[in-house]
PDB file of all heavy atoms in Angstrom:
ATOM      1  N   PHE A 224       2.832 -11.801 -46.917  1.00 96.00           N
ATOM      2  CA  PHE A 224       4.074 -11.385 -47.406  1.00 96.00           C
ATOM      3  C   PHE A 224       3.846 -10.486 -48.569  1.00 96.00           C
ATOM      4  O   PHE A 224       4.532  -9.529 -48.945  1.00 96.00           O
ATOM      5  CB  PHE A 224       4.994 -12.578 -47.919  1.00 96.00           C
ATOM      6  CG  PHE A 224       6.234 -12.276 -48.681  1.00 96.00           C
ATOM      7  CD1 PHE A 224       7.240 -11.677 -47.970  1.00 96.00           C
ATOM      8  CD2 PHE A 224       6.227 -12.453 -49.960  1.00 96.00           C
ATOM      9  CE1 PHE A 224       8.379 -11.452 -48.689  1.00 96.00           C
ATOM     10  CE2 PHE A 224       7.415 -12.138 -50.609  1.00 96.00           C
ATOM     11  CZ  PHE A 224       8.450 -11.633 -50.053  1.00 96.00           C
ATOM     12  N   SER A 225       2.833 -10.866 -49.466  1.00 95.00           N
ATOM     13  CA  SER A 225       2.612 -10.216 -50.708  1.00 95.00           C
ATOM     14  C   SER A 225       2.128  -8.837 -50.370  1.00 95.00           C
ATOM     15  O   SER A 225       2.508  -7.787 -51.056  1.00 95.00           O
ATOM     16  CB  SER A 225       1.315 -10.945 -51.448  1.00 95.00           C
ATOM     17  OG  SER A 225       1.714 -12.224 -51.936  1.00 95.00           O
ATOM     18  N   LYS A 228       5.368  -6.838 -49.172  1.00 97.00           N
ATOM     19  CA  LYS A 228       6.601  -6.946 -49.946  1.00 97.00           C
ATOM     20  C   LYS A 228       7.096  -5.615 -50.345  1.00 97.00           C
ATOM     21  O   LYS A 228       8.284  -5.330 -50.264  1.00 97.00           O
ATOM     22  CB  LYS A 228       6.342  -7.852 -51.234  1.00 97.00           C
ATOM     23  CG  LYS A 228       7.669  -8.036 -52.017  1.00 97.00           C
ATOM     24  CD  LYS A 228       7.298  -9.118 -53.051  1.00 97.00           C
ATOM     25  CE  LYS A 228       8.585  -9.445 -53.792  1.00 97.00           C
ATOM     26  NZ  LYS A 228       8.323 -10.279 -55.087  1.00 97.00           N
ATOM     27  N   LEU A 231       9.090  -3.802 -47.627  1.00 98.00           N
ATOM     28  CA  LEU A 231      10.324  -4.370 -47.028  1.00 98.00           C
ATOM     29  C   LEU A 231      11.479  -3.764 -47.875  1.00 98.00           C
ATOM     30  O   LEU A 231      11.541  -3.383 -49.069  1.00 98.00           O
ATOM     31  CB  LEU A 231      10.263  -5.933 -47.400  1.00 98.00           C
ATOM     32  CG  LEU A 231       9.334  -6.705 -46.535  1.00 98.00           C
ATOM     33  CD1 LEU A 231       9.328  -8.133 -46.891  1.00 98.00           C
ATOM     34  CD2 LEU A 231       9.887  -6.739 -44.998  1.00 98.00           C
ATOM     35  N   THR A 232      12.628  -3.593 -47.133  1.00 98.00           N
ATOM     36  CA  THR A 232      14.020  -3.089 -47.782  1.00 98.00           C
ATOM     37  C   THR A 232      14.402  -4.313 -48.735  1.00 98.00           C
ATOM     38  O   THR A 232      13.724  -5.315 -48.766  1.00 98.00           O
ATOM     39  CB  THR A 232      14.917  -2.874 -46.737  1.00 98.00           C
ATOM     40  OG1 THR A 232      15.208  -4.096 -45.895  1.00 98.00           O
ATOM     41  CG2 THR A 232      14.493  -1.765 -45.775  1.00 98.00           C
ATOM     42  N   GLU A 233      15.423  -4.027 -49.405  1.00 97.00           N
ATOM     43  CA  GLU A 233      15.927  -5.006 -50.554  1.00 97.00           C
ATOM     44  C   GLU A 233      16.139  -6.435 -49.916  1.00 97.00           C
ATOM     45  O   GLU A 233      15.883  -7.354 -50.577  1.00 97.00           O
ATOM     46  CB  GLU A 233      17.112  -4.421 -51.097  1.00 97.00           C
ATOM     47  CG  GLU A 233      17.682  -5.367 -52.224  1.00 97.00           C
ATOM     48  CD  GLU A 233      18.837  -4.775 -52.957  1.00 97.00           C
ATOM     49  OE1 GLU A 233      19.296  -3.586 -52.568  1.00 97.00           O
ATOM     50  OE2 GLU A 233      19.504  -5.465 -53.780  1.00 97.00           O
ATOM     51  N   LYS A 234      16.572  -6.474 -48.756  1.00 97.00           N
ATOM     52  CA  LYS A 234      16.804  -7.757 -47.980  1.00 97.00           C
ATOM     53  C   LYS A 234      15.886  -7.881 -46.835  1.00 97.00           C
ATOM     54  O   LYS A 234      16.311  -8.588 -45.859  1.00 97.00           O
ATOM     55  CB  LYS A 234      18.357  -7.862 -47.610  1.00 97.00           C
ATOM     56  CG  LYS A 234      19.204  -7.946 -48.908  1.00 97.00           C
ATOM     57  CD  LYS A 234      20.679  -8.238 -48.407  1.00 97.00           C
ATOM     58  CE  LYS A 234      21.567  -8.354 -49.562  1.00 97.00           C
ATOM     59  NZ  LYS A 234      23.219  -8.609 -49.283  1.00 97.00           N
ATOM     60  N   GLY A 235      14.847  -7.360 -46.867  1.00 98.00           N
ATOM     61  CA  GLY A 235      13.830  -7.407 -45.649  1.00 98.00           C
ATOM     62  C   GLY A 235      13.209  -8.678 -45.519  1.00 98.00           C
ATOM     63  O   GLY A 235      13.278  -9.554 -46.454  1.00 98.00           O
ATOM     64  N   MET A 236      12.628  -8.817 -44.309  1.00 98.00           N
ATOM     65  CA  MET A 236      11.990 -10.134 -43.871  1.00 98.00           C
ATOM     66  C   MET A 236      10.534  -9.934 -43.411  1.00 98.00           C
ATOM     67  O   MET A 236      10.411  -9.184 -42.440  1.00 98.00           O
ATOM     68  CB  MET A 236      12.956 -10.936 -43.012  1.00 98.00           C
ATOM     69  CG  MET A 236      12.484 -12.384 -42.567  1.00 98.00           C
ATOM     70  SD  MET A 236      13.594 -13.101 -41.409  1.00 98.00           S
ATOM     71  CE  MET A 236      15.134 -13.061 -42.312  1.00 98.00           C
ATOM     72  N   TYR A 237       9.729 -10.730 -43.875  1.00 98.00           N
ATOM     73  CA  TYR A 237       8.243 -10.827 -43.342  1.00 98.00           C
ATOM     74  C   TYR A 237       8.307 -12.168 -42.421  1.00 98.00           C
ATOM     75  O   TYR A 237       8.525 -13.093 -43.013  1.00 98.00           O
ATOM     76  CB  TYR A 237       7.261 -10.849 -44.375  1.00 98.00           C
ATOM     77  CG  TYR A 237       5.908 -11.232 -43.831  1.00 98.00           C
ATOM     78  CD1 TYR A 237       5.004 -10.334 -43.383  1.00 98.00           C
ATOM     79  CD2 TYR A 237       5.421 -12.536 -43.845  1.00 98.00           C
ATOM     80  CE1 TYR A 237       3.818 -10.564 -42.893  1.00 98.00           C
ATOM     81  CE2 TYR A 237       4.133 -13.000 -43.302  1.00 98.00           C
ATOM     82  CZ  TYR A 237       3.364 -11.979 -42.900  1.00 98.00           C
ATOM     83  OH  TYR A 237       2.017 -12.331 -42.269  1.00 98.00           O
ATOM     84  N   LEU A 246       1.370 -18.506 -46.533  1.00 92.00           N
ATOM     85  CA  LEU A 246       2.670 -18.282 -45.949  1.00 92.00           C
ATOM     86  C   LEU A 246       3.679 -19.348 -46.239  1.00 92.00           C
ATOM     87  O   LEU A 246       4.776 -19.156 -46.581  1.00 92.00           O
ATOM     88  CB  LEU A 246       2.550 -18.042 -44.363  1.00 92.00           C
ATOM     89  CG  LEU A 246       3.822 -17.702 -43.716  1.00 92.00           C
ATOM     90  CD1 LEU A 246       4.712 -16.738 -44.382  1.00 92.00           C
ATOM     91  CD2 LEU A 246       3.760 -17.550 -42.248  1.00 92.00           C
ATOM     92  N   LEU A 247       3.134 -20.518 -46.075  1.00 91.00           N
ATOM     93  CA  LEU A 247       4.020 -21.735 -46.467  1.00 91.00           C
ATOM     94  C   LEU A 247       4.462 -21.740 -47.891  1.00 91.00           C
ATOM     95  O   LEU A 247       5.561 -21.991 -48.135  1.00 91.00           O
ATOM     96  CB  LEU A 247       3.154 -23.076 -46.215  1.00 91.00           C
ATOM     97  CG  LEU A 247       3.803 -24.370 -46.512  1.00 91.00           C
ATOM     98  CD1 LEU A 247       5.093 -24.427 -45.602  1.00 91.00           C
ATOM     99  CD2 LEU A 247       2.952 -25.552 -46.286  1.00 91.00           C
ATOM    100  N   PHE A 248       3.683 -21.270 -48.869  1.00 93.00           N
ATOM    101  CA  PHE A 248       3.967 -21.195 -50.234  1.00 93.00           C
ATOM    102  C   PHE A 248       5.105 -20.163 -50.388  1.00 93.00           C
ATOM    103  O   PHE A 248       6.007 -20.239 -51.084  1.00 93.00           O
ATOM    104  CB  PHE A 248       2.783 -20.874 -51.177  1.00 93.00           C
ATOM    105  CG  PHE A 248       3.182 -20.479 -52.599  1.00 93.00           C
ATOM    106  CD1 PHE A 248       3.469 -21.627 -53.410  1.00 93.00           C
ATOM    107  CD2 PHE A 248       3.155 -19.313 -53.072  1.00 93.00           C
ATOM    108  CE1 PHE A 248       3.829 -21.296 -54.742  1.00 93.00           C
ATOM    109  CE2 PHE A 248       3.456 -18.909 -54.252  1.00 93.00           C
ATOM    110  CZ  PHE A 248       3.751 -19.985 -55.224  1.00 93.00           C
ATOM    111  N   GLN A 249       4.769 -18.948 -49.730  1.00 93.00           N
ATOM    112  CA  GLN A 249       5.801 -17.817 -49.900  1.00 93.00           C
ATOM    113  C   GLN A 249       7.065 -18.106 -49.198  1.00 93.00           C
ATOM    114  O   GLN A 249       8.162 -17.765 -49.722  1.00 93.00           O
ATOM    115  CB  GLN A 249       5.204 -16.631 -49.195  1.00 93.00           C
ATOM    116  CG  GLN A 249       4.054 -15.985 -50.040  1.00 93.00           C
ATOM    117  CD  GLN A 249       4.219 -15.516 -51.387  1.00 93.00           C
ATOM    118  OE1 GLN A 249       5.521 -15.345 -51.695  1.00 93.00           O
ATOM    119  NE2 GLN A 249       3.254 -15.060 -52.067  1.00 93.00           N
ATOM    120  N   MET A 250       7.108 -18.886 -48.214  1.00 94.00           N
ATOM    121  CA  MET A 250       8.434 -19.370 -47.565  1.00 94.00           C
ATOM    122  C   MET A 250       9.254 -20.117 -48.429  1.00 94.00           C
ATOM    123  O   MET A 250      10.366 -19.983 -48.669  1.00 94.00           O
ATOM    124  CB  MET A 250       8.079 -20.181 -46.349  1.00 94.00           C
ATOM    125  CG  MET A 250       7.549 -19.393 -45.042  1.00 94.00           C
ATOM    126  SD  MET A 250       7.070 -20.457 -43.823  1.00 94.00           S
ATOM    127  CE  MET A 250       8.666 -21.457 -43.494  1.00 94.00           C
ATOM    128  N   LEU A 251       8.556 -21.134 -49.091  1.00 94.00           N
ATOM    129  CA  LEU A 251       9.187 -21.989 -50.247  1.00 94.00           C
ATOM    130  C   LEU A 251       9.655 -21.245 -51.349  1.00 94.00           C
ATOM    131  O   LEU A 251      10.867 -21.235 -51.890  1.00 94.00           O
ATOM    132  CB  LEU A 251       8.279 -23.121 -50.650  1.00 94.00           C
ATOM    133  CG  LEU A 251       7.826 -24.108 -49.595  1.00 94.00           C
ATOM    134  CD1 LEU A 251       6.701 -25.099 -50.125  1.00 94.00           C
ATOM    135  CD2 LEU A 251       9.036 -24.886 -49.092  1.00 94.00           C
ATOM    136  N   TRP A 252       8.759 -20.200 -51.889  1.00 95.00           N
ATOM    137  CA  TRP A 252       9.150 -19.435 -52.998  1.00 95.00           C
ATOM    138  C   TRP A 252      10.325 -18.609 -52.715  1.00 95.00           C
ATOM    139  O   TRP A 252      11.379 -18.475 -53.563  1.00 95.00           O
ATOM    140  CB  TRP A 252       7.932 -18.679 -53.388  1.00 95.00           C
ATOM    141  CG  TRP A 252       8.217 -17.766 -54.664  1.00 95.00           C
ATOM    142  CD1 TRP A 252       8.573 -16.456 -54.751  1.00 95.00           C
ATOM    143  CD2 TRP A 252       8.077 -18.208 -56.019  1.00 95.00           C
ATOM    144  NE1 TRP A 252       8.722 -16.102 -56.014  1.00 95.00           N
ATOM    145  CE2 TRP A 252       8.503 -17.109 -56.785  1.00 95.00           C
ATOM    146  CE3 TRP A 252       7.861 -19.423 -56.676  1.00 95.00           C
ATOM    147  CZ2 TRP A 252       8.495 -17.134 -58.326  1.00 95.00           C
ATOM    148  CZ3 TRP A 252       7.844 -19.403 -57.894  1.00 95.00           C
ATOM    149  CH2 TRP A 252       8.189 -18.293 -58.770  1.00 95.00           C
ATOM    150  N   THR A 253      10.256 -17.854 -51.558  1.00 94.00           N
ATOM    151  CA  THR A 253      11.219 -16.824 -51.265  1.00 94.00           C
ATOM    152  C   THR A 253      12.579 -17.457 -50.881  1.00 94.00           C
ATOM    153  O   THR A 253      13.703 -16.832 -50.868  1.00 94.00           O
ATOM    154  CB  THR A 253      10.818 -15.846 -50.209  1.00 94.00           C
ATOM    155  OG1 THR A 253      10.555 -16.558 -49.041  1.00 94.00           O
ATOM    156  CG2 THR A 253       9.574 -15.040 -50.714  1.00 94.00           C
ATOM    157  N   SER A 254      12.535 -18.788 -50.461  1.00 94.00           N
ATOM    158  CA  SER A 254      13.806 -19.516 -50.113  1.00 94.00           C
ATOM    159  C   SER A 254      14.675 -19.693 -51.298  1.00 94.00           C
ATOM    160  O   SER A 254      15.807 -19.978 -51.281  1.00 94.00           O
ATOM    161  CB  SER A 254      13.488 -20.775 -49.481  1.00 94.00           C
ATOM    162  OG  SER A 254      12.944 -21.629 -50.305  1.00 94.00           O
ATOM    163  N   ILE A 255      14.022 -19.598 -52.547  1.00 95.00           N
ATOM    164  CA  ILE A 255      14.774 -19.884 -53.810  1.00 95.00           C
ATOM    165  C   ILE A 255      14.942 -18.553 -54.592  1.00 95.00           C
ATOM    166  O   ILE A 255      15.985 -18.335 -55.223  1.00 95.00           O
ATOM    167  CB  ILE A 255      13.947 -20.961 -54.579  1.00 95.00           C
ATOM    168  CG1 ILE A 255      13.854 -22.139 -53.803  1.00 95.00           C
ATOM    169  CG2 ILE A 255      14.675 -21.200 -55.934  1.00 95.00           C
ATOM    170  CD1 ILE A 255      12.928 -23.194 -54.562  1.00 95.00           C
ATOM    171  N   PHE A 256      13.853 -17.769 -54.630  1.00 95.00           N
ATOM    172  CA  PHE A 256      13.821 -16.704 -55.555  1.00 95.00           C
ATOM    173  C   PHE A 256      13.844 -15.266 -54.663  1.00 95.00           C
ATOM    174  O   PHE A 256      13.034 -15.283 -53.747  1.00 95.00           O
ATOM    175  CB  PHE A 256      12.585 -16.645 -56.430  1.00 95.00           C
ATOM    176  CG  PHE A 256      12.520 -17.913 -57.308  1.00 95.00           C
ATOM    177  CD1 PHE A 256      11.697 -18.945 -56.938  1.00 95.00           C
ATOM    178  CD2 PHE A 256      13.386 -17.990 -58.420  1.00 95.00           C
ATOM    179  CE1 PHE A 256      11.650 -20.046 -57.652  1.00 95.00           C
ATOM    180  CE2 PHE A 256      13.410 -19.187 -59.236  1.00 95.00           C
ATOM    181  CZ  PHE A 256      12.518 -20.201 -58.912  1.00 95.00           C
ATOM    182  N   GLY A 257      14.451 -14.299 -55.136  1.00 94.00           N
ATOM    183  CA  GLY A 257      14.430 -12.975 -54.521  1.00 94.00           C
ATOM    184  C   GLY A 257      15.247 -12.780 -53.324  1.00 94.00           C
ATOM    185  O   GLY A 257      15.572 -13.714 -52.515  1.00 94.00           O
ATOM    186  N   SER A 258      15.476 -11.477 -52.881  1.00 97.00           N
ATOM    187  CA  SER A 258      16.183 -11.211 -51.755  1.00 97.00           C
ATOM    188  C   SER A 258      15.352 -10.948 -50.548  1.00 97.00           C
ATOM    189  O   SER A 258      15.762 -10.959 -49.451  1.00 97.00           O
ATOM    190  CB  SER A 258      17.059 -10.004 -51.887  1.00 97.00           C
ATOM    191  OG  SER A 258      16.197  -8.905 -52.288  1.00 97.00           O
ATOM    192  N   LYS A 259      14.077 -10.652 -50.695  1.00 97.00           N
ATOM    193  CA  LYS A 259      13.115 -10.551 -49.637  1.00 97.00           C
ATOM    194  C   LYS A 259      12.500 -11.938 -49.256  1.00 97.00           C
ATOM    195  O   LYS A 259      12.100 -12.602 -50.037  1.00 97.00           O
ATOM    196  CB  LYS A 259      11.941  -9.508 -49.974  1.00 97.00           C
ATOM    197  CG  LYS A 259      12.378  -8.137 -50.518  1.00 97.00           C
ATOM    198  CD  LYS A 259      11.331  -7.258 -50.964  1.00 97.00           C
ATOM    199  CE  LYS A 259      11.889  -5.873 -51.370  1.00 97.00           C
ATOM    200  NZ  LYS A 259      10.657  -5.010 -51.762  1.00 97.00           N
ATOM    201  N   LYS A 260      12.486 -12.056 -47.954  1.00 97.00           N
ATOM    202  CA  LYS A 260      12.070 -13.398 -47.419  1.00 97.00           C
ATOM    203  C   LYS A 260      10.881 -13.443 -46.583  1.00 97.00           C
ATOM    204  O   LYS A 260      10.473 -12.482 -45.923  1.00 97.00           O
ATOM    205  CB  LYS A 260      13.219 -13.965 -46.544  1.00 97.00           C
ATOM    206  CG  LYS A 260      14.544 -14.002 -47.261  1.00 97.00           C
ATOM    207  CD  LYS A 260      14.517 -14.875 -48.510  1.00 97.00           C
ATOM    208  CE  LYS A 260      15.882 -14.955 -49.265  1.00 97.00           C
ATOM    209  NZ  LYS A 260      15.865 -15.753 -50.440  1.00 97.00           N
ATOM    210  N   ALA A 261      10.041 -14.536 -46.632  1.00 97.00           N
ATOM    211  CA  ALA A 261       9.083 -14.677 -45.735  1.00 97.00           C
ATOM    212  C   ALA A 261       9.462 -15.942 -44.909  1.00 97.00           C
ATOM    213  O   ALA A 261       9.732 -17.083 -45.469  1.00 97.00           O
ATOM    214  CB  ALA A 261       7.774 -15.158 -46.604  1.00 97.00           C
ATOM    215  N   LYS A 262       9.177 -15.886 -43.535  1.00 96.00           N
ATOM    216  CA  LYS A 262       9.671 -16.986 -42.686  1.00 96.00           C
ATOM    217  C   LYS A 262       8.711 -17.222 -41.528  1.00 96.00           C
ATOM    218  O   LYS A 262       7.988 -16.256 -41.060  1.00 96.00           O
ATOM    219  CB  LYS A 262      11.072 -16.628 -42.161  1.00 96.00           C
ATOM    220  CG  LYS A 262      12.250 -16.685 -43.194  1.00 96.00           C
ATOM    221  CD  LYS A 262      13.509 -16.676 -42.363  1.00 96.00           C
ATOM    222  CE  LYS A 262      14.649 -16.892 -43.563  1.00 96.00           C
ATOM    223  NZ  LYS A 262      15.969 -16.869 -42.874  1.00 96.00           N
TER     224      LYS A 262
END
Side-chain angles (χ1 to χ4, degrees):
F224 174 75
S225 299
K228 188 174 180 180
L231 288 170
T232 56
E233 184 178 351
K234 294 185 178 180
M236 185 182 301
Y237 168 85
L246 178 55
L247 181 60
F248 172 78
Q249 293 294 352
M250 286 172 57
L251 295 172
W252 179 264
T253 61
S254 68
I255 302 172
F256 303 102
S258 59
K259 301 179 181 182
K260 305 298 181 183
K262 291 192 176 183

